[in-house]
Amino acid sequence: MDTERKMKGSKFLSVMLAGTLLATQGCARHEERIFHMIRCTMAESIEKQNDPLIAKSWEITGLYMRENGIKKNPAELAAIAANIRDEIMGPPDSSWDERDARVAEIVNSEFCTTYLNLLHQK
């Protein structure tokens, strides 16, 4: 019974986070928002290995997609992730410092700052 309450509380928190995210980000297109949610998560995972945060982000992204009737198959999600990985890694001759600068720019963007702060607020 206690586990069931925790799961319901977790789902409620997820809904609250997703709702707050929507309210703070105005009318951006759903596809664009999903891209940025995944982008923030990937950049944050490079900067800090925070598996619970990554799991929470994927949960929120999935919830957001379901609530908005957005269906992406695994290949489509993999393509989004590949594009983001390419953006983060940059050209083949990029240094680690350049990559770290791209990661910091993404993580410190307005959308990611808001999104990641919401995720950290558990």
Side-chain angles (χ1 to χ4, degrees), residues 31-79:
E31 298 284 329
E32 195 174 317
R33 187 165 294 136
I34 291 165
F35 170 83
H36 286 293
M37 292 166 84
I38 296 169
R39 185 174 181 248
C40 294
T41 303
M42 289 179 68
E44 175 80 358
S45 72
I46 289 171
E47 195 170 72
K48 303 172 191 162
Q49 290 299 315
N50 186 342
D51 292 337
L53 183 81
I54 294 166
K56 177 60 72 181
S57 178
W58 281 111
E59 180 182 339
I60 296 293
T61 302
L63 177 66
Y64 179 80
M65 290 171 59
R66 282 189 301 281
E67 287 180 349
N68 290 285
I70 299 166
K71 295 181 181 179
K72 297 262 182 218
N73 64 42
E76 290 171 312
L77 292 171

Side-chain angles (χ1 to χ4, degrees), residues 1-2 12 31 38 43 52 56 62 73 75 80-81 91 93 101 112 114:
M1 179 84 96
D2 194 36
F12 179 73
E31 298 284 329
I38 296 169
K56 177 60 72 181
N73 64 42
I80 292 170
D93 60 344
C112 287
T114 301

